[in-house]
Amino acid sequence: MKNKDIKRGRYSLVFTDSMQKHFISIACDINTGEIKEPQKKIKKLDLPIIDEYILTHFKDEKELKSYLNSLGYKIPEGYKPRIAYQSNHQLKFLEVIYQNHELYELALLCSRYKTKFSDVASRRDLPNIELRKLVSKAIQSEELWKIFYAELINCLRNPNFYHYLTQNSILGDRALGYIHDYLDSEDETEAFFSARYYLIDTFTAYKPIRGIIVCMQQYYQISGIDVRCESDICTLTENLENEEKEPVKHHKNNNFLSLLSESQLLYLEKHEYFCQLSQREKENIIVSLLSIPWYECVDYTLKEEEIFYFESHEYFVNLPYYEKIEFVNRYFSKNKQKKYQMKKK
């Protein structure tokens, strides 16, 4: 006997007016998401199935609308594509996403396990909550999901992004509650482990995964900064603030004493105050006199937008000169190691 408690698809692709009062439903194949010619009866799909098809076939709204017109759909001017679904007896809409490789891979992952375990749950007459546990456990073991989850936690610890997230309606109150509990708890406490359990359970479901990726995308469009990169700098900032100060390493142009002429150096060394300073303090004075930009002294050649990116962070701007150089060198070194590790995997 097939279990009637197992949820079927509840999403459909539509075009709606600006007030979201009138809409045109688009017929899609329930197994592949392929868009069909206009039909009277529209079947609902699983969300990842719709995304998989759109993400691989259309680069933007213009292409999608053009294809629909070629199939015989008549989309009025001003109508926008949305994904419609019912929640608490209300019709709600999600944004349509184009060309996001990470979302596509995660959609495939979630869809594959949903299909696999739906058959198992149906044969065993398992309730939907048990199906959800099977799917969640399987997804957690996947390397792709582990990378996504590590990046998610890193981004959530970024106060700028967290504030944006709480002001945004893409994630539901329950998911936001789990995020708050997780960030508010301390390691090794019962509250922390409980919050982590529910956070993992939440973000092994496709809709919250989709929601957080959409938030990251929108945050980038608004701020001009990739939240993953910004989170890297926030994490590195925390590490630098908490760890013991390491001895300063001298990089390519960092021995500024050598930039002075012998007469200039002799002049400075006649001053008792200057002689009592540490090597770093001496060089800080020389740097200020020579007006050498910090970005000319790092181990990496920076683009103009990268210089602007660092100088847009208050923490970085307030660092002493040498610590700016150290910070940037360590930032790029960290990211190079991360990319190398990803390639090895």
Side-chain angles (χ1 to χ4, degrees):
M1 182 179 81
K2 289 187 177 181
N3 182 10
K4 294 180 181 179
D5 188 38
I6 296 174
K7 291 182 180 179
R8 303 304 176 186
R10 64 188 186 115
Y11 297 88
S12 55
L13 178 63
V14 302
F15 269 76
T16 181
D17 65 357
S18 60
M19 301 298 291
Q20 297 184 340
K21 298 293 183 182
H22 306 283
F23 58 90
I24 298 168
S25 296
I26 309 300
C28 302
D29 186 282
I30 61 170
N31 295 311
T32 65
E34 181 184 358
I35 296 175
K36 303 291 187 180
E37 294 177 353
Q39 298 175 13
K40 289 184 179 180
K41 190 174 181 180
I42 304 296
K43 294 180 179 178
K44 295 182 178 180
L45 292 72
D46 277 340
L47 181 58
I49 298 295
I50 298 176
D51 277 346
E52 286 168 31
Y53 185 78
I54 291 176
L55 287 166
T56 52
H57 288 81
F58 308 103
K59 69 178 183 181
D60 54 29
E61 180 183 322
K62 184 179 178 181
E63 273 198 1
L64 174 59
K65 186 179 281 190
S66 176
Y67 181 70
L68 289 169
N69 288 334
S70 72
L71 291 178
Y73 288 92
K74 295 180 180 179
I75 311 295
E77 192 70 29
Y79 274 49
K80 295 288 184 181
R82 297 286 185 268
I83 296 174
Y85 68 104
Q86 288 278 346
S87 178
N88 297 324
H89 307 291
Q90 289 185 329
L91 184 62
K92 297 186 177 182
F93 299 94
L94 300 174
E95 297 288 324
V96 173
I97 308 301
Y98 308 92
Q99 291 192 315
N100 187 307
H101 182 70
E102 180 186 26
L103 184 60
Y104 173 72
E105 293 291 336
L106 288 164
L108 284 177
L109 185 68
C110 294
S111 186
R112 183 172 78 243
Y113 281 120
K114 174 74 179 295
T115 300
K116 175 182 177 180
F117 289 112
S118 288
D119 293 339
V120 173
S122 182
R123 289 197 303 270
R124 297 180 184 176
D125 199 27
L126 297 176
N128 189 67
I129 191 171
E130 294 301 319
L131 167 62
R132 177 76 196 94
K133 287 179 181 178
L134 290 171
V135 173
S136 178
K137 186 176 180 180
I139 288 174
Q140 288 174 47
S141 67
E142 291 282 345
E143 196 65 29
L144 173 67
W145 182 85
K146 290 177 183 177
I147 293 170
F148 158 78
Y149 184 73
E151 289 186 333
L152 164 66
I153 295 302
N154 198 21
C155 291
L156 292 178
R157 287 177 175 149
N158 178 342
N160 296 329
F161 179 67
Y162 177 71
H163 176 74
Y164 174 78
L165 198 63
T166 58
Q167 304 303 309
N168 197 298
S169 60
I170 289 179
L171 289 182
D173 291 340
R174 181 180 293 182
L176 289 174
Y178 294 148
I179 291 170
H180 176 270
D181 291 345
Y182 178 85
L183 297 176
D184 199 45
S185 304
E186 296 181 4
D187 291 356
E188 308 302 328
T189 65
E190 185 177 344
F192 171 79
F193 287 114
S194 176
R196 186 175 68 174
Y197 170 83
Y198 285 111
L199 197 65
I200 289 172
D201 184 65
T202 297
F203 285 100
T204 47
Y206 181 70
K207 188 165 175 278
I209 289 174
R210 186 188 199 272
I212 201 74
I213 289 175
V214 170
C215 280
M216 290 176 182
Q217 200 171 56
Q218 290 183 350
Y219 181 81
Y220 172 73
Q221 290 169 352
I222 292 170
S223 67
I225 299 173
D226 187 334
V227 68
R228 290 178 174 86
C229 294
E230 188 178 32
S231 297
D232 285 341
I233 202 170
C234 287
T235 301
L236 189 56
T237 296
E238 289 175 7
N239 292 339
L240 287 171
E241 288 175 332
N242 294 331
E243 69 186 9
E244 291 183 8
K245 297 290 182 183
E246 297 179 6
V248 177
K249 300 173 185 176
H250 288 270
H251 298 280
K252 56 185 182 184
N253 291 324
N254 288 10
N255 185 11
F256 295 111
L257 290 173
S258 65
L259 299 176
L260 296 177
S261 66
E262 187 175 349
S263 60
Q264 288 172 324
L265 190 56
L266 285 171
Y267 173 78
L268 287 173
E269 289 180 344
K270 285 179 183 178
H271 291 77
E272 187 178 348
Y273 170 76
F274 183 80
C275 294
Q276 291 175 350
L277 296 176
S278 67
Q279 181 78 356
R280 177 183 290 194
E281 289 170 331
K282 288 179 181 178
E283 294 184 345
N284 275 334
I285 289 176
I286 295 168
V287 164
S288 64
L289 292 172
L290 295 175
S291 301
I292 301 172
W294 62 265
Y295 47 81
E296 289 186 6
C297 304
V298 299
D299 288 344
Y300 304 87
T301 302
L302 303 186
K303 299 176 183 176
E304 187 175 343
E305 58 266 29
E306 290 173 324
I307 296 169
F308 176 80
Y309 167 67
F310 283 106
E311 292 186 339
S312 66
H313 289 78
E314 185 179 355
Y315 172 83
F316 181 82
V317 171
N318 292 328
L319 286 176
Y321 187 90
Y322 266 93
E323 289 185 28
K324 286 180 181 175
I325 296 168
E326 281 296 298
F327 187 100
V328 173
N329 283 330
R330 294 172 71 178
Y331 173 80
F332 280 101
S333 175
K334 177 179 179 288
N335 278 285
K336 280 180 69 177
Q337 290 173 6
K338 184 177 179 181
K339 287 178 183 176
Y340 174 72
Q341 290 167 358
M342 291 281 287
K343 285 179 181 177
K344 285 182 71 177
K345 289 176 182 177

